[in-house]
Amino acid sequence: VNVFVPSPEPADPALVREYARELASEAEHHGAELGDPRFDDDDWEAKLELAQEQRIPVVSFTFGRPDADVVERLHAAGCAVWITVTNVDEARQADAGGADGLVVQGLEAGGHRGGFSDADDEGGMGLLALLRLVCRNSALPLIAAGGIADGAAVAAVLCAGASAAQIGTALMLTPEAGTDAAQRRQLRESRPTRLTRAFTGRLARGIVNRFLAEHSSTAPAAYPEVHHLTSPIRAAARGRGDADGFNLWAGQAHELATERPASEIVREMGAQARDAVAAVSRRLG
Amino acid sequence: VNVFVPSPEPADPALVREYARELASEAEHHGAELGDPRFDDDDWEAKLELAQEQRIPVVSFTFGRPDADVVERLHAAGCAVWITVTNVDEARQADAGGADGLVVQGLEAGGHRGGFSDADDEGGMGLLALLRLVCRNSALPLIAAGGIADGAAVAAVLCAGASAAQIGTALMLTPEAGTDAAQRRQLRESRPTRLTRAFTGRLARGIVNRFLAEHSSTAPAAYPEVHHLTSPIRAAARGRGDADGFNLWAGQAHELATERPASEIVREMGAQARDAVAAVSRRLG
């Protein structure tokens, strides 16, 4: 189970109000009302309690490092704690903070950047360089994430020091995935992605569509306020199958996603990874 | 030998003049005059003739795809033509344009982004995802570039479909490299890099220093004009050992660079790559 660490404090309400004014015509266009841009912790404490009760084997975190007491509670319940990092400094902090594993997220990843802050960091570090740097700064098991969409990429991150690969976008066309029909169509095509705060107020990678193009330069850093603000618009657009009106989260390798059961994809990735490693092994002699 | 394809047309002179006004105080600070922001092709034709005459085994290009007649001339002289690509569209164009190999440059790379245009593309694609996408769109040999600084990273890009790895920053501390002393000190440290047009008018990755931080948001897309404009300032800063006044090109994994002869580094990378592949091979069974 992955849990979002709550934002430390609300954003400047004036910035959120200004963005709400900009989105008024979007709401009208989609026949929706803007949502209430509330600041909340998304039931942080209730989720932690549930994770403890259920003794969830792995509880991973994005958007920050849980406090020492949270880590202790989860450890006491037998849960392993993984923390998402996007640079070496976060990796050092997570390691020092009692993590059992680090989810090393490259800038290739779809959806939210999972690092500790929402700073503009030039789009962040590429997965391969980041893995090598984190390897030199932590002995924890590393779970590589970001743009890994086939077995050759899995083999690559294992060579680069990861213990495992985390697959996101490459499973979004499976029948098991709850991916919306309009988004499925976009994922199959060759379309650029970019990082944006337009939908949620926090940087996340999605396929470029009209909403993203029109609002990325003005959307404030205000999560979860903007998430709540745009939520009804996105629901309305999704309901109408309008792929230009909601968030099309996708990693940079989304074109490689295939429409098959998840079990087939994972099995094939394993076989491809073995083949890739065997081929390189023969070549290097 | 690598050759820069000339920019198709000069930038708007008004933008260059405005930037020159901004840099007047930099010039004064360094006791230098601003350079003449001329538009030129850096002796494009002379370089091509020399490459032909000398029958250079591999002539690679950045900043664009050479015309068909250039490719033909080089082929006639026995030169292989490699073209640098940063996305799938460029890879398809380079493949169709007669390239013998593609230098696949991820956003991790130090120095100039080598793609066909200087558009703001959100910092570009990570190397691993880009390699997998280009593999599906071209059967040409791929040379992976960007943030590859040790043998494990070499093994990773080979697994991801590259025929070879191109090493840049990881060789910049060798005695063979012409790296300035002030830059050598910065490369060893844990310092963030970012993309900037501040030094040359074209996006390039360097270690963040004062000049980069102060001028990145205002520098225009104007290569080679801005390159010539800032050249005397950079030379003066370099001469004084002032690492805050010139371009500290570096890839995202620059902390992994080591101070040893190039031959040792390359030999060790080979051995490390074999070890990395062997370890993964054992693990996957």
Side-chain angles (χ1 to χ4, degrees), chain B residues 110 144 146-151 154 165-180 183-184 187-188 249-270 272:
Chain B
I148 304 170
D150 62 15
V154 172
Q166 186 168 298
I167 311 300
T169 309
L171 293 170
M172 285 179 69
L173 293 182
T174 60
E176 291 92 342
T179 315
D180 182 88
Q183 184 165 4
R184 286 178 187 260
L187 280 167
R188 285 186 206 105
W249 294 161
Q252 288 189 328
H254 67 86
E255 289 167 63
L256 303 183
T258 54
E259 229 169 325
R260 290 178 299 161
S263 60
E264 272 186 35
I265 292 176
V266 172
R267 246 193 309 271
E268 190 187 63
M269 278 189 183
Q272 287 171 337

Side-chain angles (χ1 to χ4, degrees), chain A residues 236-270:
Chain A
R238 221 179 259 114
R240 291 164 47 197
D242 176 4
D244 269 319
F246 68 97
N247 48 312
L248 305 170
W249 294 160
Q252 289 190 327
H254 67 86
E255 290 166 63
L256 304 182
T258 54
E259 229 171 325
R260 290 179 299 163
S263 60
E264 274 185 35
I265 292 176
V266 172
R267 246 194 310 270
E268 191 188 62
M269 279 188 182

Side-chain angles (χ1 to χ4, degrees), chain A residues 107-108 122 124-126 128 132-133 136 150 152 156-159 163 194-195 252 256 274 280 283-284, chain B residues 107-108 122 124-126 128 132-133 136 150 152 156-159 163 194-195 252 256 274 280 283-284:
Chain A
L107 85 315
E108 299 90 339
E122 290 291 300
M125 298 200 56
L128 191 48
R132 297 309 305 143
L133 288 169
R136 306 284 183 114
D150 63 15
V157 297
L158 296 180
C159 285
S163 295
R194 57 166 287 193
L195 294 172
Q252 289 190 327
L256 304 182
R274 276 180 201 91
V280 173
R283 200 182 140 200
L284 294 181
Chain B
L107 84 317
E108 299 90 339
E122 289 290 302
M125 297 199 57
L128 188 49
R132 297 311 304 142
L133 289 169
R136 308 283 184 114
D150 62 15
V157 297
L158 296 179
C159 285
S163 295
R194 58 166 288 193
L195 294 171
Q252 288 189 328
L256 303 183
R274 275 181 200 92
V280 173
R283 198 182 141 201
L284 294 181

Side-chain angles (χ1 to χ4, degrees), chain B residues 13 15 18 22 26 53 67 77 87 99 116 124 126-127 131 135 162 167 181 189 195 208 214 235 237 260 282:
Chain B
L15 294 176
E18 198 177 329
E22 177 178 326
E26 286 283 350
E53 268 173 42
D67 289 340
N87 60 46
F116 295 9
L127 179 57
L131 279 172
C135 263
I167 311 300
E189 298 177 11
L195 294 171
V208 177
E214 289 182 7
R260 290 178 299 161
R282 279 193 301 275

